[in-house]
Amino acid sequence: MRIAVVGSGYVGLVAGACFADLGHDVILVDNDQPKLAALRNGQIPIHEKFLPELLGRHRGHRLTFSDDVKEAARLSSVIFVAVGTPPTESGEADLSYVESVAREISGGINDYKVVVEKSTVPVYTSDWVRRIILRNGTDPDLFDVSSNPEFLREGTAVTDFLFPDRIVIGCDSDRPADVLREVYAPLTNGSYYQRADAIPQPDRASIPPPLIVTSTKSAELIKHASNAFLAMKISFINAVASVCESVGANVSQVVHGVGTDSRIGSRFLNPGIGYGGSCFPKDVMAFRAVAREGGYDFRLLDEVMRINEDQRQRFLRKVHRALWTLRGKNLGVLGLAFKGGTDDIRESPALFLVQALLQEGSKITAYDPAAMERAKEVMPSGVRFANSPYEAAHDADALLILTEWEEFANLNLNRLRQELKYPIVIDGRNLYDPEVMAAQGFTYYSVGRDAAHPDGVPSAVLKNGKRA
Ligand code: UDX
Ligand code: UDX
């Protein structure tokens, strides 16, 4: 099929490359000229596993690049809209990019096309996209608007796209549903997975994935509800971690016990410094705003957001408890990206914490396997960037772990201890077992678990009965 994907960001670029791998001819459209030039030259603008392979395979053949939405729409039978939907001041999604793309698409509709929302958008956006296209003089029989929410996670985006738990298509008639069924047929009929050159299958893949057909509005809601639920799961376990800290229980044990209930499940139950990224913070706010507009006061989501913000403050207090004063202290920081496996720093809790620590007068030496270039663009000049975790730890008063990169969970602890001025690790992602860290000679602070000390003594019980 001939497919246009408008918006070549974290979602559009991955979707376009994967559609090409399924055998479709894809035009990736973007209005960012330097990004287009880089893509045409074979550069990969984002850090994403398997993306270089896919772009290498299809660039210039099944995958071409353009800045012309109208022409790309004219040449395609399906047009996916994947431009950003950032939050406005009031927390609603800013749909102005979606609207301007819809206007441009209308100019290219010369025969039947399906216009598909891939960006995360509030319910009713499909109605508006349809209205905008009609207002621009397009024959109503020549197009349908559908919703096909994307559930990929950054860092594992390509495998999430090609091995999804489910594919949701929201259509209000059979014709667009048939077109979208054809787009995803290589996944739903399993033929993609038979291919020798298919991207390797991850654990837990449900093959072939089920295709769920709903109304357009339901599909729009499925996306917001899924992201809000996952964010709620994270805030829930973060709240449980706080209770664990105050009573001296171990949140890892609690998660194990709770998560093995198959009705709950253990995924997205990792406590830490709170969720970040371009989706959860924005989508929880937008879903809250959608509900409010529809007359429902979704206060549960306020609490999800409050717990998330509190989680960062709690971590800062933990740093204070571990180090007392911060002015002039040298802190090694591992991780700047909002999660492991990506160079994305949007709404990164790690960046927030680094900025807060700088404001308190600490000196920061940071290391991230992929996000340092992007971080340099937004960080104050005071931050030093290291070439390895050990260089970040060198001569530091303490080491802070702020992103759950796999590499940070497998450090050479002997070497780390030798690099540090004081063997103190404050882990915002619970990557290590406190007992192991204590045995290796560290004072180790984490989330929802007692601090561990080299002599094996559990965290001190303060005079007022609270634990350190
Ligand atoms: C996407 C979705 O669009 C968003 O709704 C979802 O919640 C998160 O994922 P993402 O791919 O992360 O956003 O955004 P970004 O990396 O900013 O990519 C958007 C792309 O669209 C950019 O390359 C930008 O240049 C392009 N764009 C934006 C256009 O081509 N035209 C526009 O009018 C606006
Ligand atoms: C999310 C959704 O998972 C995905 O389905 C949707 O398409 C886009 O939004 P993404 O933001 O890329 O994906 O990453 P995700 O793995 O969900 O992590 C989001 C944030 O939550 C990160 O900051 C991560 O560190 C944090 N997180 C995740 C936790 O703190 N604990 C967890 O158990 C899981």
Side-chain angles (χ1 to χ4, degrees), residues 68-76 79 99-111 113 115 129 132-139 142-143:
D68 191 339
V69 177
K70 184 174 154 188
E71 180 64 4
R74 201 180 62 75
L75 293 171
S76 307
I79 303 130
E99 180 177 355
S100 79
V101 166
R103 256 197 313 270
E104 288 178 82
I105 289 172
S106 64
I109 299 184
N110 53 343
D111 54 13
K113 321 260 181 214
V115 179
V129 169
I132 297 297
I133 296 177
L134 286 174
R135 256 184 215 169
N136 283 275
T138 308
D139 180 341
L142 284 187
F143 75 100

Side-chain angles (χ1 to χ4, degrees), residues 325-390:
T325 66
L326 294 182
R327 183 160 303 283
K329 293 252 162 82
N330 289 316
L331 303 180
V333 163
L334 298 188
L336 297 166
F338 81 95
K339 62 176 282 193
T342 179
D343 59 345
D344 197 346
I345 53 167
R346 289 179 287 182
E347 297 290 323
S348 170
L351 281 202
F352 171 89
L353 288 169
V354 166
Q355 263 145 357
L357 294 165
L358 283 171
Q359 266 175 10
E360 297 205 39
S362 313
K363 295 183 200 144
I364 305 279
T365 305
Y367 171 73
D368 188 288
M372 289 198 290
E373 284 312 308
R374 286 191 200 278
K376 277 176 196 168
E377 290 166 18
V378 298
M379 295 300 277
S381 50
V383 178
R384 282 187 49 227
F385 292 92
N387 291 313
S388 74
Y390 306 103

Side-chain angles (χ1 to χ4, degrees), residues 7-12 30-32 35 82-85 97 100-101 119-120 278-279 282-283 346:
S8 305
Y10 284 87
V11 170
D30 209 282
N31 62 3
D32 179 338
K35 187 183 268 187
V83 293
T85 51
Y97 298 137
S100 79
V101 166
S119 304
T120 304
S278 70
C279 290
K282 161 176 84 73
D283 292 346
R346 289 179 287 182

